[in-house]
Amino acid sequence: MVQHNIDIKRLKIPEPIVVITDLSLYYGKTLALKEITLDISKKKVTSFIGPSGCGKSTLIRCLNRLNDLIEGVTIEGNIKIDGQDIYAPAIDVTALRKKVGMVFQKPNPFPKTIYENVVYGPRVQGINKKSVLDEICEKALKKAALWDEVKDRLRTSALDLSGGQQQRICIARAIATEPEIILLDEPCSALDPIATAKIEDMLVDLKKDYTVIIVTHNMQQAARISDYTGFFMLGTLVEFNITTEIFTNPREKQTEDYITGRFG
Amino acid sequence: MKKLLKSGNPYIWLTAGTLTVCLLMIGGLIVLIMINGLGVFWPHRIAKMTLQDGAVVLGEIAKRESIPHQKDSYRTKLKVGNRDVYGMDFRWVDNANIVSCEYPTESLVFERREWGNMYGFLKGLKQGDDIKPVDLKEMTVLLGTSRALFKKIRRIEKKEIGNINYDMEKYRLELKRLTFEQPTERIQKKTAAIRAHIDALERSYREKEDMLTGLYTRAREKEIVALLADGTEKAMPVLQIIRVYAPNKMGFFAKIGFYFEKLWEFVSGEPREANTEGGIFPAIFGTVMLVLIMSIAVVPLGVLTAVYLKEYASDNIVARFVRISVSNLAGVPSIVFGVFGLGFFIYFIGGGIDKLFFPESLPSPTFGTGGILWASLTLALLTVPVVVVATEEGLSSVPTSIREGAYALGATKFETLWKVVLPQATPGMLTGMILAMARAAGEVAPLMITGVVKLAPSLPLDSHFPFVHLERKFMHLGFHIYDVGFQSPNVEAAIPMVYTTTLVLLFTVLILNLTAILVRNKLRKWYSTTSI
């Protein structure tokens, strides 16, 4: 039996940066997200888990309005980032996307050099001075824990790197635009355990400067790196709590079934 | 039987067989053209035949075939040349009529600027009423001096007199333009100055003309006498002869050298004798330039159309209709495009340009007549569907994840398109361009009404400002084939040239395409490592 307690529905957390209230999303007539209400804390790692098709990716794509690109999407409810309604008509979508960076499931570096991949965002923002770009590139690559591996071949194609390195290039690319929030959509699903471990270490470091929201299929990963975890099923948020609570003392039966591997 | 059908093997045979048939047809086509085209410049032996009626003929054996309805009897086609004496180049001889056939080493081929080849023997140099015997070596020296003389004559005719004519025309037009204006004092002064220029030009023109007459008389003085097969003597000026050679004396390597010399002359020289002899350089040049201008015009047109259709237009009924129409455009007969080019580009746009910018030369048109620009634009219209379709495919091949990556970094739609999507779609666009070039290089019908000519007096690119003359008419290999093969006064002699020209056309298209493919591969690499 699912019983929603009002207090559980909106968990009290310190310093909420993202405030989602009663968010529902339709693809055409199909309901994909149902009345999600959720706060996300600043400079913490928040992970979303749940079986495939439960709407967790859809939710994070709402946060940088990437769903706008898909035809026939309608959204109800509202999302506030830094107190600003991001679906308000006056909002500048490109500015929002600079503030909310994203890393995708499959590494998608542009077919350009490593350097040009990383400085793509700053270039779009109109920064063209070479010394500034060099500095941004170095800083971003260091944060993405990739600098030592690629510093000697910044001018070679990013496509020549391994999958794990490509994914870190994508993370560096997202960092280079100086976002406040970084969304990661199953960033390790295409990678081997060693590459995954590297990225996980890096994500924990990133917490110092950024709010990290990660969608993952891997429950151990969520348990290892995140401070808060949300469990989704069939478009609804079943449970949202501090990670240790979710994994040691789930309140909902469905959550317990999922994390103990009874289904999913 | 059922089991066999079910195993799927017959379908493999069917598909493989069809492929084989296609390959054989293409291969056969190329081999046929090569066999017929490549042999043209090989120096064939000269046969001297004595016939039963006592007549003697001299010439190259062109063909041997059996006489229809008569068993075991053959006839031979002999290229006897000497069109000015015999009236035709070829003669059929029944093999039964041949008493003897030999290959005399002393027999020569005289390649002439007019009337085709002459086959015969060298008697000597005419000096007054006497004939002073000369041998082949002395003849070569004579030919050398006459070639230098000929070059000088040509230079005066084409370059110097050509320049004078060009300037004269310029001044004439300027004079005419001045008559449109108010006859103020300044204008009158200008007019007088121009008239003085024209007078000076006319004087120098007359000087050149006198010089030419002198050169021609000097050139005609030296005449050689050739002995034909039937014993008649034929005198001709040395100036008329391009080269003399004795194929029966040549060794294998001499023949190879001769072959390449002729081949080079063919691709680099200008045509002679109503295009049936000489080179085809202006036609190669015209074809290449036409295709290049066409590419420059078609790529932006097709790419922009495709970008709008694919990226911006919503997928509604109008967009679908436009897309179908564009594809169907590829099926419209090319001559229809030619008619459109004539009506729209030449008469409407060209006529408009003439009225606006070149009123002084009217009623004779400048842009309002066929020219390489209009022909290129017509071909660009013809090939635009190819580029549109290929570009759309190229755009589709750019994965959504890459676009989303750019959007997620705060790029606008245009920035994403311009900096991420288009560079990745470039190979697709270039593939479209390559297909367009291949199609355009082979197209002849629309050119025939938009500016191609049998013989263009000057190339569309020369030393006169502004160097590129897009309004000029031009020659084209495809049209050259049609003209030489079917419109020439001497079709039989010209047929080998048709094959050779076809071969050159094929090679030109091949080289153009290979260049484009190389560029595409380079760009593919370049785009993956640079900032654009």
Side-chain angles (χ1 to χ4, degrees), chain A residues 42-97:
Chain A
K42 199 170 182 177
K43 295 193 178 173
K44 292 278 186 283
V45 177
T46 304
S47 63
F48 295 160
I49 58 170
S52 297
C54 68
K56 46 195 194 312
S57 295
T58 306
L59 178 62
I60 68 163
R61 287 167 66 98
C62 286
L63 299 182
N64 66 352
R65 290 189 58 173
L66 213 54
N67 282 331
D68 292 11
L69 303 174
I70 301 165
E71 264 178 62
V73 169
T74 41
I75 286 170
E76 289 163 8
N78 79 64
I79 301 173
K80 283 183 179 160
I81 294 180
D82 281 340
Q84 202 176 18
D85 181 2
I86 61 165
Y87 280 92
I91 203 93
D92 177 3
V93 181
T94 59
L96 169 73
R97 287 179 186 153

Side-chain angles (χ1 to χ4, degrees), chain B residues 6-49:
Chain B
K6 235 182 166 172
S7 72
N9 281 341
Y11 306 109
I12 300 176
W13 299 334
L14 181 72
T15 48
T18 317
L19 176 69
T20 315
V21 171
C22 289
L23 285 180
L24 279 178
M25 287 203 294
I26 294 169
L29 173 86
I30 292 171
V31 167
L32 179 86
I33 293 171
M34 295 250 266
I35 289 175
N36 281 298
L38 285 179
V40 175
F41 303 123
W42 191 254
H44 295 285
R45 288 195 298 173
I46 303 174
K48 184 183 182 186
M49 292 176 181

Side-chain angles (χ1 to χ4, degrees), chain B residues 360-435:
Chain B
E360 66 277 8
S361 51
L362 284 175
S364 76
T366 311
F367 274 98
T369 177
I372 193 162
L373 177 66
W374 303 137
S376 307
L377 290 183
T378 307
L379 285 187
L381 278 187
L382 181 83
T383 51
V384 96
V386 183
V387 179
V388 170
V389 170
T391 307
E392 277 201 88
E393 266 166 34
L395 289 172
S396 309
S397 73
V398 179
T400 327
S401 67
I402 295 267
R403 292 166 196 257
E404 285 186 339
Y407 286 130
L409 292 171
T412 59
K413 180 146 195 169
F414 178 76
E415 284 163 344
T416 306
L417 191 65
W418 185 247
K419 291 199 168 159
V420 175
V421 178
L422 279 187
Q424 270 205 281
T426 315
M429 292 171 207
L430 287 171
T431 305
M433 192 183 91
I434 291 163
L435 292 174

